[in-house]
Amino acid sequence: MAWTRRPLPNDETTYQVWYAAGQWIIRGDSSSFATADFATYRTFPDVLQLPGGSYMSVQDLVSDGVRWYACDRNYGWARSTDGLAGAQWEFPSPQIISPSFGTAGAASLCVTSTGRIVARAGNYICVSDDDGATWAETGLATSAVSVSGAYDRPNDERITQSGDGTIVLTCRLGEFFVSDENGDTWSAIYPGVQYAIATVAKITAGYCVTYQDWDIPPRISTDNGSTWTDVALLGLPRAVAEGETLYLYGGEYGAPEVRVTTDLVTWSAIDPAGLAAEMFEDIAVGGGVLMGVTRWDSYGAYTAEVGPAVIAPIALPLRLMVAGVTPISLPLRLEVANAGAIRLPLRLSVGATGAPVALPLRLAVIDASAVGGLNGAGAWAAAPDGKWTAIVTLDGANISTRLHGACSVEIADNAARTAEFSFVPAAPLAVMGLFGRRVTIAFARADGTAAQPIFAGVVDVPTVDLQTGIITCECTDQAQEVWSNTARERIAELVGGRWHDALAGELEDNFAYLEERIQGMPASWALDVRQQPAVLPWQSPARTLTVRTADVIDGSLSVDLPSRDQLRTRIVCRLQYRFARLRARTVQASYSQPLSFFQPLVSNALGVLKQSKLLMTVAMVESATESVGGWTMEWREITSPRPGGWNLGSNLSPVLYYITPSTAQTLALGFSVRYSTRWQQSVTEDYTVAVVWSGLEAQLPAPVSEEMGASLEAEFDQPGWGQDPSVGPALPSTLLGDVVYDYKPAGFDDASRDELMRALLDRAWVRLWSASRSGRVSFALPCRPDISLSDAVALEHDAMRASGRVVAVTHTLNLESGTAVTDVAVAVGMPGATPAALPSWTLPAAPQDDYSPPISAYSCQIGTYVGGDPASPPWDEETMIGFSTNYEGPEDPSINYYPHQLRIKGPDLAAEDRDPRTLTVSAELSVAVPTDVLEIL
Amino acid sequence: MAFSWWADAGMTVPLSRLDFSRTNVPAPVDAVAWFGNPVPGTKLQAAADPGAAALLVTVSDDAPASGVEADQIKLANSSAGLATASWGAPLNLGVTINAGTAVPVYVRMDSPLVAGGNYDGIALQVPDWVELEV
C-alpha cells in the first residue's frame, strides 16, 4: 500500500471528504468536487438555495445509494432529485425535523441499512421511516460531561452505521451516542476524557475514539465502552471504518501515520511512501480506498489502495415471538437457615354469644281528628274540653302519676330540644344519680289516650326542693353530642350543598363542621323527636298549616320586624388563592471579534499604524463563562482562530502575522454560552366579589355590607428546587426564554379554587337571606303537640297576614289544671312573597398577569475595552464588564492599561419576576333573595 | 359494651324501642334504627359459620295473628331500598360488623290497624351472632 496524490482541478485547498455510493465528495475552501475515478471531476454544490431565497450550506452529506441527502443545522435539509448527480435538489416538508428543537434542518444525517433516516436536530435525535415525511424523536444527545476546548473540526458531527448495524452519533461532546436498535433507542458512552470527541469508528471488536485536541491520544474499548485504553498516537487523530477494518490516522505535521486493525489488538501501518510533508485534515474510506485531504500548501488529496475491507458477516437474527402469552414463572428459593422447628401458630377465638339482640317495635294509632288542620275551628278535637296530661318516663319507668306543677318542652332551630318537669319521687332518691337518665315525654288526652311524643333525651340538670322534696329535671335531647358523633359524610349527605375545607380550616369537632357546613345552605339543624339528626330547609316545608284568628289565643299575636341593623344588602367575598410559580429562564451570551480586530493595523505606505492586541484565550473564556453568578452554564461553544500565516503588508514590505496550530487552539475569537436559572415566585390571585341584593339595596339609603373570606394555598414543599436540578418537578427545557409552571397539585388546583369560590358565594347568598329573615311572628295556640320545626305556617289573622317556617315551638302543660298551650314563632323575611333559588354562579375570569420581561432580562453584559492607547480612558472595575485587552508594545506610564481578562455579567431578575405577585379581580354579582308574606292589616 | 340498637348513626342515643305513630288512616310509616357497638376492638359475625355466613336481621312476632304482623314489615339497608324489599324478609347485614361502625336498618311498617291505641309484640332481632376480638 502506498499513497497517490490526487491534485484537484484548481489546486483547491481541501478540508472535508465524504464517500458514498462509489462517489467521493471533496470539499475545498471555496468549492466542492465529486469524483468516482480521480480522473474526472465535477463541481458539487456546497451551498443550496432554499425556496424562500435564503441559503443552506452542505454541512453533512449522506446517500442511500440512490440519491444524496444534505443538511444544515439551522436552515434546512435537502434531497437530490437527479440521483447521484447532485445537481438538482428538493427541500422536503417538513423542514423542521424536531418540533422540540423548532428550527429547520439538522446537524447530521444518516440513512441506515433499512432505509430509515436518522437525523440530529439540536439536541434531539429523530428518525423517519417514510423518507422524511414524518419524524419521531427517539433520543436526546445531551451530556452531563463538561468538556473544554470544543471547536469546529471537519466531520466531527456525524451519524454513521457500522458493519454490525450499530449506529454511532458524535456531536462535539465528551460522550457519544449509540443505538443497536436501528435508532429506536439510544444510550450514551463516555470514554473517560473530558474533551470533545472528534470521531468514533466501530467494528465488531469494539470502538475507537479520537478527540479534537492535538495532545489527547485516541482511546479504544473492546468491552462495549465499559473500559478504555489509550493508543499512543497524537496529532489530531481521526478514525474511520469500513466493514470490519478500522483505520486510525494521526501524526505530527509532516509525519503522518495511518494504522489499520481488524481486532483492535494487532495493528499494521500503511506505507507513507508517496506522501509529502503534510497533515490530513479529514479522511474517509470506501470501496477499498482510503482518502486523506490536506488543507495546507494545496497538496490536495491522497489515496491509498487498502484493498477490500473485511466485511462483517451478514447476520439474520431469529426471534421467536409468542404473542399474547405471559410466561408463567414459578420462582424457587432454597433457604438454608438455622435448624429448628417450622412453626405455624394456631389461634382459637372464643367469642361471646347470647340472646338475640332485639328491638321492639310499637305502632301508635291516634285519631286523625287529633291532628286536624288549624282552620279556625277552635281547639283541638282530641281535647275538646282543653284538658291534657303528660306521659313521662324516666329510665323506662312511667312517672306520670307523680308529676307536679308544669311540664314544658321547647323546640327551636339550631338548638337542642329541652324539656322541664317536676315530680315527687316514690322513695328517697339520690338526685345526683339522675344525671343522664333517659327521659321521654308525650302529651295525651286527659285519659291518657292518643299520646303524641314530643321529647326524648336525658336529664341535664336535676334540682330538688328541700322543703317539699319535689325534684325538677331540666332535660336536653343531646343535640350537640349526637351531631358530634355523626360522621361528616353523613352530615354532608344530610346538609348537601357545596363545601370546601378551606372555608373553615381544620375542624376537630363534627358539630363545628355542621355549623360551618350549613352556612352554605338555606336550612337549619335540629334533632327530631326520635333524637335523629334532621336538616330543615327554609323552603319546601313538610306541610303548611293555616292559622286563623279563631285559632290564636287572644292577645298572643306579636311581630318583630326585620331590623335595619340586621339587614345586609351586600356580602363582599374575598378569596385569596396562593400558589408557587416555578420559573426557569434560559439566556444566551455570545461574543465574537474578527481576527482583524486583534491583528496590527497596517498601511502599505506607513507600515504598522497600530500594534496588535492581546487575544482572548480559551482558558479565559472557560473561567469567565463558568462563574456567572446565579446562572448555570448549559452549553458552550468557543471559536478559535484558524491557524495560519497572513501577510498584512505587501510583498515589498511584508508584515507577517502567524498563528501556529498549537497556539490557535489555546486562543479564542469568540464564544457562545447558554445559561439557565430557575426560581419560584409566590403568586396570589386576589378575588373580591360582592354579592348584591339589588332589590333591597334600592330600598335602603345606603348599602349595608358584611365581609367574609377564605384562602387556599398550594404549598410547594421542595425547598431545594431552585438550587438542585435533581429536585422535581422538572420543567421542560427551552433554548431561549422562559418556562413557567404554576404548581397547583390536586385539591389546590383551579377547579378547587372555583369550588371554594362557589361555596363562598353560596354562604354569601344564604347570609343575605338569613339577615333578612330575622323577623318573627309569634302567637299561642291551644296545645298542638304535632306542630314541629318542619312545618310552615300561613297566618290569616284579622290583624296580620304572614307566612314562614316555624323556628320555635314551646308546649306548656299545667298538670294541675290540665290546660296546655303551644307557643309558635315563625321566621319572616322582607315582604314580597317572591321565591328565589340559590344561584348557580358565573364566576369572574381568573386574572391574567400582563407583565412580560423586557429584552434586557435575557441579555448578558459583555463589552470590549482596549487599553494601551492614548485615547483609552482610565480603567473602571465597576462598569467595564466584558473583554478587556491592550495594544501590545512597550508600556508608556502616561497611558491607561487594562487587565487582560474576560468578565461576564448575567441579567438580573426584575422585581416583577422575583417578588411575590398579587393579581386582583373585582366583580359584583346581583342576586335575588326570597321574600315572604308580611302584611300588617 | 355489647352490640345493640341505637337511635342515631353516631351511637349516642340507645334505642330500647322503635316507635311508629300515625293516625287511624292506614298508611306506610318509615323509621330507621342503627345497629352497632361504639367501643372498637371486637367484631360481630354469624355464630353458625363465623366469617362465612351473613348476619341477619329478622322480624319476630310474639303473638301472630294479632297486632302488627311480621309480613307487614319491610327491612332495607337504605331508604331507597325499602321500595324493593320484600315484606317480612330478613335483612342481610353482611358477614362482619366491626365495632365502632353502625349499620342502618330502615324499617317500613304498613298495618291496616285503625283502632286507636299502642300495638306492641313485634320486634326486630339479630338472632345468631358471636362477638369476637379483632
Side-chain angles (χ1 to χ4, degrees), chain A residues 347 349-369 371 438 451-453 477-478 481-483 485-487 490 493 527 530-533, chain B residues 3-5 7-8 10 12-13 15-24 31-33 35 68 109 111 114-120 122-127 129-132:
Chain A
R347 171 183 283 182
S349 293
V350 178
T353 62
V357 185
L359 176 65
L361 308 182
R362 166 176 285 184
L363 173 62
V365 178
I366 59 177
D367 287 338
S369 59
V371 291
R438 296 213 56 76
Q452 293 187 65
D477 69 352
Q478 304 172 272
E481 190 179 349
V482 168
W483 279 109
N485 289 338
T486 302
R490 175 76 178 153
E493 182 185 339
L527 298 189
R530 291 192 177 102
Q531 290 182 271
Q532 292 183 338
Chain B
F3 280 78
S4 55
W5 295 93
D8 62 303
T12 312
V13 181
L15 196 60
S16 57
R17 188 180 67 209
L18 186 59
D19 290 336
F20 294 80
S21 180
R22 65 162 170 78
T23 67
N24 49 13
V32 61
F35 183 74
V68 179
M109 179 183 287
S111 165
V114 294
N118 295 327
Y119 297 90
D120 298 320
I122 197 162
L124 305 183
Q125 62 179 18
V126 179
W129 56 268
V130 59
E131 187 172 7
L132 301 165

Side-chain angles (χ1 to χ4, degrees), chain A residues 728-739:
Chain A
L731 300 186
S733 62
T734 179
L735 291 178
L736 191 65
D738 284 0
V739 176

Side-chain angles (χ1 to χ4, degrees), chain A residues 20-46:
Chain A
Q23 301 269 317
W24 296 90
I25 309 298
I26 305 161
R27 185 166 206 164
D29 274 347
S30 60
S31 58
S32 294
F33 298 90
T35 183
D37 56 8
F38 306 111
T40 57
Y41 291 87
R42 59 190 170 84
T43 58
F44 196 88
D46 56 1

